[in-house]
Amino acid sequence: MGLIVQKFGGTSVADAARLRHVAEIITDTYKAGNQVVAVLSAQGDTTDELIEKANEINPLASNREMDMLLSTGEQMSVALCAMAVEALGYPVISLTGWQAGMVTNTVARNARIKKVDTERIETELNQKKIVIVTGFQGINRYEDITTLGRGGSDTSAVALAASLRADLCQIYTDVDGVYTADPRIVKDARKLDEVTYNEMLELATLGAQVLHNRSVEMAKKYNVKLEVLSSFTGHPGTKVKEVAKRMEKSYISSVAKNVNIARIALIGVPNEIGTSFKVFSLLAQNHINVDIILQGIGHEEGKDICFTVAQSDLEAASVLLKEHQESIGFGRLETNSHIAKVSVVGAGMINHPGVAATLFEALYDANININMISTSEIKISVLVDEKDAEKAVQVIHDKFFSMG
Amino acid sequence: MGLIVQKFGGTSVADAARLRHVAEIITDTYKAGNQVVAVLSAQGDTTDELIEKANEINPLASNREMDMLLSTGEQMSVALCAMAVEALGYPVISLTGWQAGMVTNTVARNARIKKVDTERIETELNQKKIVIVTGFQGINRYEDITTLGRGGSDTSAVALAASLRADLCQIYTDVDGVYTADPRIVKDARKLDEVTYNEMLELATLGAQVLHNRSVEMAKKYNVKLEVLSSFTGHPGTKVKEVAKRMEKSYISSVAKNVNIARIALIGVPNEIGTSFKVFSLLAQNHINVDIILQGIGHEEGKDICFTVAQSDLEAASVLLKEHQESIGFGRLETNSHIAKVSVVGAGMINHPGVAATLFEALYDANININMISTSEIKISVLVDEKDAEKAVQVIHDKFFSMG
């Protein structure tokens, strides 16, 4: 008994049958005595189809008009979902972002939620209605419609849960929770009942497509209890909270790999103050994110700077750096896209310094060479050859999670 | 030089090519030094497709949620049209019904405009922007989205023109104006440069699919100068105003026919006070509109009541009347759907009583039998056999418009 926010992504509402199923999940929650606010994405490929329509007319359309167009996608899905709930005989109302009081800043196509005026939603809840709200969108101070960019619907759900002081925010998706490793790679991977916000943040960054970082950050900030679960299976999912219960032995929660990265090495950089700054500010100005950085101590002839970028940024980064070869002063540039990042994440490792050693031992036993290493308080990442990545995940998982 | 409201219907904005063409019409008007507010319908079959989607999920969906769904259609077309105007390099902004201040009553799916808060539109116009507004929709006092029902986009355009005190309201459609008769039937039919509001009202009622009555009534009430023209041909259209210039001889402006009607005859109704009331109040309560009514003087054995209804209402009306045969007390019911209504409309006929005689002469000469007759101040309608309808239109047109 409480107030539950339930978010359903595009695949969960893709067609009439799926929408009817979502309506059942929502009304089952309502029947159990809860107040329910559902947050929906646009159906299936709607957003892509709208973008295609826009491109046909004007590939350089303004973001303001794109938001006007794209926001229709969620409006359609909430109206249709409300109709599905009506068909089941429950009181319901759908609300757009502006009707639901989702106030954002003015950055079209990538807006940030500034506040949620919950008055309308609360009025509807007090009238015993199920409330279905468009994800991904809001209204700015000029009364223009805005959209929130990637991960927007998750963020809408968490913002609503925070503002309404919801007891739980359930994120329904096409996976049924967070696993100790990708079940497609590691056969004995187990679903985790609970992970911490920080672990979830690291996992999202590592490419686990479960929750977008923006939403997890907001959940952590406002202490919103999250649950990730599948709208397809009906199984209990993974709860995301401040402190996660876990078996004593499991210092780490999950092993993950990301193969969509590439390494750039600048060889023979002058051993002067400021060269690293030059390189990384140049990349930042051009919106290229750098992940792991390794910089040798250097000697008289110069030093080497290695770092990783997303594979999709490799070409742009290489061209950019070569254009500035003279001013940066490096000797030559080498790239390698056949690498992978394998990471272990776990809030427990803060108090257990042996994790790194265990990780290295697992890789050493499997004869896997480590390229670069990067650590945070609750994460250790290593770069390995792409061909070794799956094996690395498996042996690390065995080492940390085997019951032996 | 002035403020011009331009309305474009569904076929005018059906695809990317048509939208680009509409953008050219709009920007040509703007380039000529005018302020432009464009009002758009949903693209082509969008509304029907949305209704189909809703029916798949819940054929009994509430009107409130249907409005939420249907209003996305116009929102898409205004955003896409704004992008097309952007592509031509002009400043532009699209607005939804609620952004444009279209305040309606609370009757979902058939709302009436109560007022237009023009502040936002005026701000945008003052910033030299072309403003593109969704037709067919508004917002009620609970901040719910409403749609205006049939003819809604024309009404939106006229309401905006009235509120903004526009110099002209152009209704772009797929015909290029009002003709003296349907050009597909009458070869020498001519386009009228001007018609009066009252003539236009009669013509709309007669089934000329040019303008919806609601919009003409509003234009008349607020003295909004209308022009009906084609977005396809670029020719000048027909102006609709309080007083229309016309050649002295032309007492009538147009000849029209409507074959989608049917006649019901109640034979042997008791010759008592109140039976007509019983019949027509019963039909009205069931939302069946009655057009021409003919009631014999009656004699001792009873009287006959004949009237016409839309062909689509014939079945329902017959069933309904038979259910109440006993209480109304008629002997038997006869129906005929092979009839047509042929009408002449003209503001001039008020001062020229010979029009009816000329009309009857034309039909007599052509050996066409007249079934029933109905007249208003500026209209004469006759019922004829359906097979005679086109010939009737031709001979009447010849009689009134031949140059001989």
Side-chain angles (χ1 to χ4, degrees):
Chain A
M1 309 276 251
L3 170 53
I4 300 185
V5 174
Q6 302 185 309
K7 182 259 174 180
F8 299 92
T11 52
S12 298
V13 296
D15 54 34
R18 299 292 319 150
L19 273 170
R20 268 191 283 268
H21 182 60
V22 164
E24 278 164 16
I25 294 175
I26 291 170
T27 53
D28 282 349
T29 311
Y30 179 84
K31 270 188 287 188
N34 300 293
Q35 294 182 305
V36 183
V37 176
V39 178
L40 269 56
S41 302
Q43 292 185 284
D45 301 325
T46 308
T47 304
D48 289 339
E49 284 163 19
L50 290 172
I51 291 172
E52 206 172 290
K53 272 195 155 196
N55 284 341
E56 197 188 342
I57 285 174
N58 184 354
L60 303 172
S62 67
N63 286 337
R64 194 272 178 195
E65 296 301 336
M66 283 302 289
D67 279 354
M68 187 76 161
L69 180 69
L70 296 182
S71 61
T72 61
E74 294 82 36
Q75 189 172 327
M76 281 189 257
S77 62
V78 295
L80 291 170
C81 188
M83 293 174 192
V85 171
E86 285 177 347
L88 297 174
Y90 292 89
V92 63
I93 191 162
S94 69
L95 299 176
T96 62
W98 61 269
Q99 287 173 328
M102 308 291 291
V103 180
T104 75
N105 66 10
T106 60
V107 183
R109 289 202 81 175
N110 201 17
R112 291 287 178 272
I113 297 171
K114 294 182 71 174
K115 62 170 175 170
V116 185
D117 293 331
T118 55
E119 200 184 330
R120 171 80 191 255
I121 294 179
E122 280 167 6
T123 303
E124 303 294 351
L125 289 175
N126 289 339
Q127 291 174 14
K128 307 285 180 215
K129 285 188 193 158
I130 292 166
V131 181
I132 304 184
V133 180
T134 54
F136 186 67
Q137 62 178 252
I139 182 174
N140 69 23
R141 67 170 182 271
Y142 302 113
E143 296 211 325
D144 285 331
I145 296 171
T146 51
T147 68
L148 305 182
R150 278 179 62 88
S153 289
D154 288 352
T155 311
S156 301
V158 174
L160 277 169
S163 305
L164 294 164
R165 295 182 170 70
D167 298 282
L168 180 61
C169 179
Q170 294 183 314
I171 309 286
Y172 283 87
T173 174
D174 42 9
V175 300
D176 61 357
V178 179
Y179 278 76
T180 52
D182 187 339
R184 289 167 302 186
I185 299 174
V186 177
K187 275 201 201 77
D188 53 349
R190 293 195 308 274
K191 188 166 66 189
L192 295 160
D193 293 332
E194 299 186 345
V195 296
T196 68
Y197 295 122
N198 286 336
E199 288 172 337
M200 196 68 231
L201 284 171
E202 293 286 8
L203 287 167
T205 312
L206 294 173
Q209 300 292 334
V210 181
L211 276 178
H212 199 269
N213 254 3
R214 281 170 69 186
S215 57
V216 182
E217 276 164 13
M218 191 183 281
K220 177 176 149 80
K221 185 170 174 190
Y222 294 101
N223 203 19
V224 173
K225 261 184 224 156
L226 290 177
E227 182 177 7
V228 177
L229 65 179
S230 163
S231 64
F232 294 82
T233 66
H235 299 153
T238 300
K239 292 221 164 74
V240 188
K241 37 204 287 211
E242 190 57 43
V243 180
K245 271 182 242 160
R246 192 160 298 159
M247 284 179 298
E248 184 61 22
K249 193 192 165 196
S250 299
Y251 311 136
I252 76 164
S253 63
S254 195
V255 187
K257 78 168 167 62
N258 182 356
V259 296
N260 296 316
I261 59 168
R263 190 184 59 189
I264 295 177
L266 300 179
I267 313 292
V269 180
N271 205 351
E272 296 164 4
I273 291 167
T275 42
S276 297
F277 169 75
K278 269 189 210 163
V279 169
F280 296 116
S281 67
L282 179 67
L283 292 167
Q285 278 159 23
N286 289 275
H287 306 288
I288 295 168
N289 280 325
V290 170
D291 185 15
I292 302 177
I293 299 172
L294 187 83
Q295 186 176 313
I297 297 169
H299 41 82
E300 266 174 38
E301 299 91 70
K303 61 187 174 186
D304 303 339
I305 301 179
C306 288
F307 54 89
T308 60
V309 295
Q311 222 161 63
S312 54
D313 283 335
L314 178 60
E315 177 66 22
S318 303
V319 169
L320 186 70
L321 288 165
K322 279 177 189 162
E323 280 171 7
H324 294 77
Q325 180 161 12
E326 210 166 320
S327 66
I328 299 168
F330 60 87
R332 68 177 197 282
L333 180 148
E334 288 179 359
T335 65
N336 181 358
S337 56
H338 297 291
I339 53 161
K341 182 169 70 166
V342 174
S343 311
V344 296
V345 172
M349 71 172 70
I350 297 175
N351 304 316
H352 294 87
V355 172
T358 310
L359 169 69
F360 299 150
E361 187 186 359
L363 294 173
Y364 176 81
D365 288 348
N367 204 23
I368 294 170
N369 191 39
I370 299 175
N371 254 282
M372 289 164 81
I373 300 167
S374 153
T375 59
S376 80
E377 278 200 321
I378 64 164
K379 183 193 74 173
I380 302 173
S381 296
V382 294
L383 279 197
V384 299
D385 277 0
E386 192 172 1
K387 65 174 171 50
D388 292 329
E390 295 207 355
K391 191 179 171 194
V393 171
Q394 181 71 60
V395 298
I396 294 168
H397 191 271
D398 287 350
K399 196 82 175 179
F400 283 98
F401 292 100
S402 70
M403 289 301 181
Chain B
M1 309 275 250
L3 171 53
I4 299 185
V5 174
Q6 302 184 310
K7 181 258 170 180
F8 299 92
T11 52
S12 298
V13 295
D15 55 34
R18 298 292 319 149
L19 273 169
R20 268 191 283 269
H21 181 60
V22 164
E24 279 164 16
I25 294 175
I26 292 170
T27 54
D28 283 349
T29 312
Y30 179 85
K31 270 190 286 186
N34 300 292
Q35 294 182 305
V36 183
V37 176
V39 178
L40 269 56
S41 301
Q43 293 185 284
D45 302 324
T46 308
T47 304
D48 289 338
E49 284 163 19
L50 290 171
I51 291 173
E52 206 172 292
K53 271 196 155 193
N55 284 341
E56 197 187 344
I57 285 173
N58 184 355
L60 303 172
S62 67
N63 287 336
R64 195 270 176 196
E65 296 301 336
M66 283 302 290
D67 279 355
M68 187 77 162
L69 181 69
L70 297 182
S71 61
T72 60
E74 294 81 38
Q75 189 172 328
M76 283 189 255
S77 61
V78 295
L80 291 169
C81 188
M83 294 174 191
V85 171
E86 286 176 347
L88 296 175
Y90 292 89
V92 64
I93 190 160
S94 69
L95 299 176
T96 62
W98 59 269
Q99 288 173 328
M102 309 289 291
V103 180
T104 74
N105 66 10
T106 59
V107 183
R109 289 203 80 175
N110 201 17
R112 292 287 176 276
I113 297 171
K114 294 181 72 173
K115 61 171 177 170
V116 186
D117 292 330
T118 55
E119 200 184 329
R120 172 80 191 256
I121 295 179
E122 280 167 5
T123 304
E124 304 295 350
L125 288 174
N126 289 339
Q127 291 173 16
K128 307 283 179 216
K129 285 188 194 157
I130 292 166
V131 181
I132 303 184
V133 180
T134 55
F136 185 67
Q137 62 177 251
I139 182 175
N140 69 24
R141 67 169 182 271
Y142 302 113
E143 296 211 328
D144 284 331
I145 297 172
T146 52
T147 67
L148 305 183
R150 279 179 62 88
S153 289
D154 288 352
T155 310
S156 302
V158 174
L160 278 168
S163 304
L164 294 164
R165 293 181 173 70
D167 297 283
L168 181 61
C169 179
Q170 294 183 314
I171 309 286
Y172 282 87
T173 174
D174 43 8
V175 299
D176 61 357
V178 179
Y179 279 75
T180 52
D182 187 337
R184 289 167 302 185
I185 299 175
V186 176
K187 277 201 199 76
D188 53 349
R190 295 196 307 274
K191 189 166 63 187
L192 296 159
D193 292 333
E194 299 187 345
V195 295
T196 68
Y197 294 123
N198 286 336
E199 287 172 338
M200 197 67 230
L201 282 171
E202 293 285 7
L203 287 167
T205 312
L206 294 173
Q209 301 293 334
V210 180
L211 276 177
H212 200 271
N213 253 2
R214 282 170 68 185
S215 56
V216 182
E217 275 163 16
M218 191 183 281
K220 177 176 151 77
K221 185 170 174 188
Y222 295 101
N223 203 18
V224 172
K225 261 185 225 157
L226 291 178
E227 182 178 7
V228 177
L229 65 180
S230 164
S231 64
F232 294 82
T233 64
H235 299 153
T238 300
K239 293 221 165 75
V240 188
K241 37 205 289 214
E242 189 57 43
V243 179
K245 272 183 243 160
R246 190 160 300 158
M247 285 179 298
E248 183 61 22
K249 193 193 167 197
S250 299
Y251 310 136
I252 78 165
S253 62
S254 196
V255 187
K257 77 168 167 62
N258 183 356
V259 296
N260 296 316
I261 59 168
R263 190 184 58 188
I264 295 177
L266 300 180
I267 312 292
V269 181
N271 203 351
E272 297 164 4
I273 292 167
T275 42
S276 297
F277 169 75
K278 268 188 210 163
V279 170
F280 296 116
S281 66
L282 179 66
L283 292 167
Q285 279 160 21
N286 289 276
H287 306 288
I288 295 168
N289 280 324
V290 170
D291 185 15
I292 302 178
I293 299 172
L294 187 83
Q295 187 176 314
I297 298 170
H299 40 83
E300 267 175 39
E301 299 90 74
K303 62 188 176 187
D304 302 339
I305 300 177
C306 288
F307 54 89
T308 60
V309 295
Q311 222 160 62
S312 54
D313 283 336
L314 178 60
E315 177 67 19
S318 303
V319 170
L320 186 69
L321 288 165
K322 280 177 188 161
E323 281 171 9
H324 293 77
Q325 180 162 11
E326 211 166 323
S327 66
I328 299 168
F330 60 87
R332 68 177 197 279
L333 181 148
E334 287 177 2
T335 65
N336 181 358
S337 56
H338 298 293
I339 53 162
K341 183 170 69 167
V342 174
S343 310
V344 297
V345 172
M349 70 172 72
I350 298 175
N351 305 316
H352 294 84
V355 172
T358 310
L359 169 68
F360 298 151
E361 187 187 358
L363 294 174
Y364 176 81
D365 289 346
N367 203 24
I368 295 170
N369 190 40
I370 300 174
N371 254 279
M372 288 163 84
I373 300 167
S374 152
T375 59
S376 79
E377 278 198 321
I378 63 164
K379 184 193 74 173
I380 303 173
S381 295
V382 295
L383 279 198
V384 299
D385 278 0
E386 191 172 3
K387 66 175 172 46
D388 292 330
E390 296 207 354
K391 191 179 171 196
V393 170
Q394 180 71 59
V395 297
I396 295 169
H397 191 270
D398 287 350
K399 196 84 176 178
F400 284 97
F401 293 99
S402 71
M403 288 300 179

